Amino acid sequence: EIVLTQSPGTLSLSPGERAPLSCRASPSVSTRYLAWYQQKPGQAPRLLIYGASNRATGIPDRFSGSGSGADFTLTISRLEPEDFAVYYCQLYTTSGITFGQGTRLEIK
Amino acid sequence: QVQLQQEGTGLLKPSETLSLTCGVNGVSLSGNYWTWIRQPPGKGLEWIGEINPSGSTNYNPSLKSRVTISVDTSKNQFSLRLSSVTAADTAVYFCARLVRSDCANGVCYQNIYFYYMDVWGKGTTVTVSS
């Protein structure tokens, strides 16, 4: 069973700052199966990144994904007010889909 | 533009069967993977299961004995049934398209596939209470 661990659980930052969100996989996984989503209260998740580093259609370039193997990072280069939300990493395998527990990005 | 329209019962009693449908607009049901995800109140996302273009299913082992996902191509919709519900099944249930693609940002690869959920329904709140 693959486990995705996201850190930190909550990240408090101000608009304009840079936000690094971590997702650690155990055991290591292929980059092409790793995706990131943003979820705002009362809404469905929104795809941001797939294949660890590919931005989905319509996603601003302040969002970027990186990493490989066991360590992946979603970086928001300059936070906008609408970026404060919960972020999930997600992995696909032939056994099924696994989500990290989420990182809450809140306004400081 | 692909859109998913969720329908189904929001209030159930323990031991009843949850039944939800997800209508697909803008794309054919066949040729795509479809999945169900749920989110208990205040908690994270939990994968329930998926169905592929050939009709084969894959379920979360923790729910496998109670779950059925099926497609109805005549109505262009797919469905979720979860039997013998308890309070632990109280959650928002989402349907989503699971993309299997050999291309990323305009570059296509041989024998390499990306998997991700690009279109989601708005979610249906299901409460199980006696």
Side-chain angles (χ1 to χ4, degrees):
Chain A
E1 181 189 355
I2 297 177
V3 176
L4 298 179
T5 303
Q6 293 187 240
S7 61
T10 300
L11 185 58
S12 299
L13 293 171
S14 300
E17 290 193 288
R18 178 176 171 274
L21 286 69
S22 173
C23 177
R24 179 158 292 179
S26 178
S28 299
V29 299
S30 170
T31 57
R32 61 183 181 270
Y33 299 145
L34 197 286
W36 289 92
Y37 300 83
Q38 175 194 68
Q39 187 180 32
K40 296 180 179 179
Q43 297 184 16
R46 173 195 181 197
L47 175 68
L48 299 175
I49 300 287
Y50 65 95
S53 61
N54 300 282
R55 265 190 304 276
T57 302
I59 300 304
D61 60 8
R62 64 179 181 274
F63 291 90
S64 63
S66 62
S68 64
D71 291 303
F72 298 90
T73 301
L74 172 70
T75 302
I76 311 172
S77 58
R78 294 171 309 280
L79 284 167
E80 297 286 343
E82 61 268 28
D83 298 335
F84 292 92
V86 179
Y87 292 82
Y88 294 94
C89 57
Q90 171 255 312
L91 180 74
Y92 177 89
T93 72
T94 53
S95 298
I97 291 172
T98 301
F99 290 95
Q101 81 277 22
T103 289
R104 180 178 303 277
L105 180 56
E106 64 177 26
I107 299 177
K108 187 173 182 180
Chain B
Q1 183 181 3
V2 181
Q3 292 183 318
L4 303 181
Q5 181 77 31
Q6 294 187 225
E7 305 279 351
T9 308
L11 182 60
L12 294 168
K13 291 182 168 52
S15 81
E16 292 185 332
T17 295
L18 178 158
S19 182
L20 300 175
T21 62
C22 187
V24 178
N25 299 309
V27 72
S28 173
L29 201 67
S30 56
N32 284 282
Y33 289 65
W34 306 99
T35 187
W36 289 94
I37 307 291
R38 71 180 183 179
Q39 186 170 36
K43 295 188 178 180
L45 301 167
E46 179 183 30
W47 172 70
I48 299 171
E50 69 191 55
I51 187 164
N52 71 15
S54 66
S56 296
T57 53
N58 189 17
Y59 299 132
N60 186 322
S62 69
L63 300 170
K64 187 173 184 177
S65 63
R66 300 192 290 130
V67 173
T68 302
I69 295 176
S70 59
V71 298
D72 184 339
T73 53
S74 67
K75 296 181 179 179
N76 218 45
Q77 66 183 31
F78 62 105
S79 301
L80 168 69
R81 287 176 59 86
L82 181 67
S83 63
S84 305
V85 297
T86 70
D89 296 311
T90 294
V92 177
Y93 286 74
F94 297 100
C95 58
R97 180 172 70 169
L98 174 62
V99 173
R100 177 180 185 263
S101 175
D102 56 0
C103 300
N105 287 335
V107 178
C108 296
Y109 303 85
Q110 282 193 336
N111 300 317
I112 292 177
Y113 295 98
F114 301 88
Y115 292 85
Y116 50 90
M117 290 168 284
D118 68 334
V119 181
W120 294 66
K122 292 185 176 181
T124 299
T125 300
V126 174
T127 302
V128 180
S129 174
S130 55

